[in-house]
Amino acid sequence: MAHLRFLMITIIFLAFFFGNANPSSANGKERTLTTAPDFTLNDINGNKVTLSKFRGKVILLNFWSIFCGPCLAEMPSLNKLYLEFKDKGLVFLAVAEDPAEKPVRAYMEEKRFSFPVLMDKEKKVYSKYSLFGIPVTFLIDRKGMIVEKFIGERDWSSPEMREKILKVLREK
């Protein structure tokens, strides 16, 4: 029975990581871009936000929850990145996978994060993006194409992450 449990955990682990690979090819020379699925969600203030309305801008789309430790750990660096690049053409949308707005709003106010948070209470957008865990962040170019998918916690204020964002911002 223990072997079967180990095998199932291994299969789930491999499916998660290999099923969510970056859109870059293995050799790194060419990549297949995918159009980011469009959606409309309400933000924590009740305003409707539609992804396609941001066409022409670079978008960082982050899926998270207040019940996810790694999600919360990366929030300060995401906020720092947002504040640095919001006036340079970067749109940041944090999609909360939580069933209620009140705790999400309280968390955002307590931490004084200033980026927009959208509510995906029924996980419809989560499903549209074929996600199996969080945090997951998509970098979307000005044409609405997913340039890169980041699985797991990141330090978004690191030189590597900043350079990835700047590279896409420079593309016209």
Side-chain angles (χ1 to χ4, degrees):
M1 193 59 135
H3 286 64
L4 184 58
R5 182 177 297 158
F6 174 77
L7 180 61
M8 289 183 66
I9 291 170
T10 303
I11 290 170
I12 291 168
F13 175 82
L14 292 172
F16 176 78
F17 282 98
F18 290 106
N20 289 301
N22 284 342
S24 303
S25 68
N27 64 14
K29 291 184 180 175
E30 63 179 88
R31 60 183 178 205
T32 305
L33 298 178
T34 306
T35 302
D38 197 19
F39 62 84
T40 299
L41 290 172
N42 287 335
D43 67 14
I44 58 175
N45 299 312
N47 302 309
K48 287 195 181 300
V49 177
T50 301
L51 182 69
S52 60
K53 297 281 184 188
F54 297 105
R55 192 71 44 93
K57 296 197 178 262
V58 175
I59 303 165
L60 202 59
L61 178 64
N62 174 264
F63 291 86
W64 70 289
S65 169
I66 60 170
F67 301 108
C68 166
C71 300
L72 301 181
E74 73 176 357
M75 286 295 170
S77 67
L78 279 166
N79 193 61
K80 185 176 178 180
L81 183 82
Y82 169 71
L83 292 173
E84 181 178 350
F85 289 103
K86 70 178 184 169
D87 295 330
K88 297 176 180 159
L90 180 69
V91 171
F92 178 61
L93 300 173
V95 179
E97 301 302 319
D98 297 280
E101 288 173 33
K102 190 174 181 179
V104 173
R105 186 180 298 112
Y107 173 77
M108 293 299 290
E109 289 171 2
E110 174 191 331
K111 297 298 182 181
R112 297 184 180 179
F113 294 143
S114 49
F115 51 80
V117 175
L118 312 179
M119 296 300 302
D120 189 18
K121 296 176 189 178
E122 297 170 8
K123 295 191 175 189
K124 289 181 179 178
V125 177
Y126 179 88
S127 296
K128 227 179 199 186
Y129 278 76
S130 303
L131 300 179
F132 295 101
I134 50 177
V136 175
T137 305
F138 294 88
L139 180 57
I140 303 169
D141 70 12
R142 296 176 194 282
K143 295 175 186 164
M145 306 301 286
I146 297 172
V147 174
E148 193 160 352
K149 179 179 181 179
F150 304 93
I151 300 170
E153 177 187 345
R154 297 281 190 276
D155 176 3
W156 292 96
S157 58
S158 72
E160 175 190 2
M161 290 297 125
R162 291 177 75 254
E163 185 52 42
K164 286 179 184 271
I165 303 294
L166 281 170
K167 180 181 177 191
V168 179
L169 282 169
R170 284 185 210 118
E171 295 173 0
K172 294 295 176 186

